[in-house]
């Protein structure tokens, strides 16, 4: 394995183990294993002379500043001349070799190192003056804090946030709050934070794309040698290929194919002459350097006709207009819909049903409407929400008009509740992802939990939705039929009662002998009497079942379900009254969750921390010096291996 990759892997493993140990009171590995991996990382850092940001061997303190100071660049950072014509790019190459790389879509940053350490980081800004973000750069996910080279190194690169991290960060934003629109905007805001703890949480990555200066190093007059040298110093460099006029077409075919699968944002390519002296001798215009050229994808445009506007409600109450048009082939795929984002864009295009429109894929990925050739402007705006039929209203924010649902109880706003209900530990309905649920809700097919089990009544609508067909519909119907036959703990957990997890649901069902009627009518004191159910949870349960609207919804849901009674023989509840804590790796069970369920099925209780109420700690490494083992020994609590537990 590549030394840098191994260092990244070790840093991630050790950080995860440390967080689990100190913040979550659980162990992912023994102290001996942790120390072995830590020593391996230290050894690699000494060998390579590189220490990456995020390494457990260094501590980067979090710091807040009142403002980001400004600083002028030693040489202006010019924009690149660009083209969408491959032949123009071929003409630029002439008889020269060039590095053809991704044009990353993030925020350009200039880094300065001295004596082997990161000294300064400055954003591009307006090309002449940038903002000093040194403290933030120290917490970028992959930047080297120390490098082998001891001279003054200046390099440029792009700070980015990947699409997967972008989705993760958006999903963590509370319901009802504004989400980020794209990775570039999120990255720009993350890099320029006044508190670098925020920057650290955003998983910003840095990819070097150009070396400015490194006195004393012979690069053999080659930009490619510079990139290789930067990699040897611990930097991740942007992916590139060596091209000339002869192999340009092959390289372009590769990049145009790969961009559809990239996890990082890119808005084109950059060609940079490999011959440093030749490139530098060309100088620059007032706006562009002459040693490099940018290529922007030539958008494939197709004419088609607008057939309808689909109004798609979201959890924030925003209702997005989506254009549905006659299917066309774009960049190798069939496209029939494109988001219009808001009312302002829709009105600007003066859309009307039947209009002839031109569509394309932005950056070869996202379908967009380029132009409306007819401009009839006869498109009505939805007066009611498709998910709940409540009145809509247009709101203007920062000169942009958008459509919103006015109903606080709109089912589209409760998407998280539906997602929990269909999850594996609840009703376990295959084929109903959060995205699919949003689509069904947006088409008015789901207004309550019971409606999920009535989706089979909407065959024609579903098989005509994008991404669906007869087979997908039948698979969904089969999943729903299977999910109808469930157990009371799964149902109770799936209802989403505040503070009631699956383990709590099992405790409650066990205490009331699986009688839902008794559970619905019980008082808070009865729930509080259950070991493991406190007054807060008890209050949540009672409040849920006293809500008349929720009661009616549950009654309707029960008509769709076949709740099986989980029969547990008295002789098998031999762990009743016992409390267990599980730590470390397991051998006889698939994982700790399976062991936990086994204990609960026999009447026992599993908690996450060792306390005076713990009956046994289960740990196959009974001699380890883990925090749980130490605590158990302090309190005189027996430590069992799995084998000993199974012999109980």
């Amino acid at each position: 394995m590549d030394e840098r990759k191994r260092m990244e892997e070790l840093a991630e493993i050790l950080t995860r183990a440390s967080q689990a140990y100190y913040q979550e009171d659980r162990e992912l590995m023994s102290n001996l294993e942790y120390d072995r991996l830590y020593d391996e990382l230290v050894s690699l850092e000494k060998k390579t002379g590189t220490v990456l940001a995020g390494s457990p061997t260094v501590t980067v303190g979090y710091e807040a500043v009142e403002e980001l100071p400004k600083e002028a660049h030693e040489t202006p950072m010019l924009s690149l001349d660009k083209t969408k014509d491959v032949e123009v790019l071929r003409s630029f190459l002439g008889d020269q070799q060039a590095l053809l790389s991704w044009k990353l879509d993030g925020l350009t940053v200039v880094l300065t190192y001295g004596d082997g350490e990161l000294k300064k980081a400055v954003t591009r800004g307006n090309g002449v003056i940038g903002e000093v973000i040194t403290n933030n750069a120290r917490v970028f996910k992959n930047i080297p804090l120390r490098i082998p080279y001891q001279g003054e190194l200046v390099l440029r690169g792009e700070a980015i946030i990947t699409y997967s991290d972008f989705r993760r960060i958006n999903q963590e934003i509370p319901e009802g709050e504004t989400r980020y629109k794209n990775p570039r905007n999120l990255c720009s805001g993350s890099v320029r934070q006044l508190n670098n703890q925020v920057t650290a949480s955003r998983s910003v990555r840095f990819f070097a794309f150009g070396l400015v200066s490194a006195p004393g190093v012979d690069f053999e007059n080659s930009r490619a040698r510079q990139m290789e040298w930067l990699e040897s110093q611990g930097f991740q460099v942007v992916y590139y290929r060596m091209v000339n006029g002869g192999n340009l077409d092959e390289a372009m075919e590769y990049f145009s194919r790969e961009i559809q699968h990239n996890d990082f944002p890119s808005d084109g390519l950059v060609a940079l002459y490999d011959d440093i002296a030749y490139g530098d001798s060309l100088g620059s215009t007032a706006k562009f350097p002459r040693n490099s050229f940018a290529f922007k994808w030539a958008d494939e445009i197709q004419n088609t006709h607008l057939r309808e506007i689909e109004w798609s409600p979201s959890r924030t109450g925003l209702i997005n207009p989506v254009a549905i048009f006659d299917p066309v082939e774009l960049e190798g795929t069939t496209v029939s819909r494109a988001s219009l984002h808001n009312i302002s864009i829709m009105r600007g295009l003066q859309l009307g049903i039947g209009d002839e429109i031109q569509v394309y894929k932005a950056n070869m990925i996202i379908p967009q409407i380029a132009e409306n050739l007819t401009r009839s402007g006869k498109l009505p705006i939805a007066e009611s929400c498709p998910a709940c039929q409540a009145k809509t209203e247009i709101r203007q924010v920062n000169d942009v008009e958008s459509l919103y649902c006015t109903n606080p109880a709109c089912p589209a706003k409760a998407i998280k509740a539906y997602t929990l209900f269909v999850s594996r530990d609840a009703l376990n309905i295959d084929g109903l992802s959060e995205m699919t649920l949003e689509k069904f809700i947006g088409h008015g097919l789901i207004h309550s939990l019971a409606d999920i089990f009535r989706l089979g009544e909407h065959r024609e609508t579903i098989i005509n939705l994008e991404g669906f067909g007869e087979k997908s519909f039948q698979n969904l119907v089969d999943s729903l039929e299977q999910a109808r036959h469930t157990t009371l703990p799964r149902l109770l957990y799936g209802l989403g009662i505040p503070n009631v997890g699956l383990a709590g649901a099992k405790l409650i069902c066990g205490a009331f002998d699986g009688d839902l009627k008794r559970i619905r009518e019980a008082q808070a004191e009865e729930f509080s009497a259950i070991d493991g159910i406190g007054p807060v949870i008890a209050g949540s349960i009672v409040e849920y079942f006293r809500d008349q609207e929720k009661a009616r919804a549950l009654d309707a849901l029960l008509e769709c379900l076949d709740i099986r009674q989980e029969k547990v023989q008295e002789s098998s509840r031999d762990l009743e009254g016992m409390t267990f804590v599980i730590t470390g790796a397991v051998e006889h069970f698939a994982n700790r969750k399976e062991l936990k369920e086994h204990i609960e099925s026999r009447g026992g209780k599993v908690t996450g921390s060792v306390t005076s109420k713990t009956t046994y700690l289960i740990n196959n490494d009974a001699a380890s010096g883990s925090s749980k083992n130490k605590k158990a020994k302090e309190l005189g609590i027996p430590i069992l291996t799995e084998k000993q537990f199974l012999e109980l």
Side-chain angles (χ1 to χ4, degrees), residues 47-68:
K47 179 182 177 183
T48 62
T50 302
V51 178
L52 300 175
S55 172
T57 65
V58 296
T59 301
V60 178
Y62 294 128
E63 182 181 328
V65 296
E66 293 183 2
E67 63 176 10
L68 296 174

Side-chain angles (χ1 to χ4, degrees), residues 24-37:
E24 302 165 18
D25 198 21
R26 61 190 182 93
E27 288 183 67
L28 301 183
M29 62 181 68
S30 68
N31 289 350
L32 186 66
E33 176 67 4
Y34 184 94
D35 291 342
R36 184 184 70 77
L37 296 178

Side-chain angles (χ1 to χ4, degrees), residues 1-17:
M1 179 184 286
D2 177 273
E3 289 176 338
R4 181 198 167 91
K5 280 191 181 357
R6 180 57 177 165
M7 288 162 66
E8 290 175 345
E9 182 184 80
L10 288 169
E12 185 176 344
I13 292 170
L14 292 168
T15 300
R16 198 163 57 238

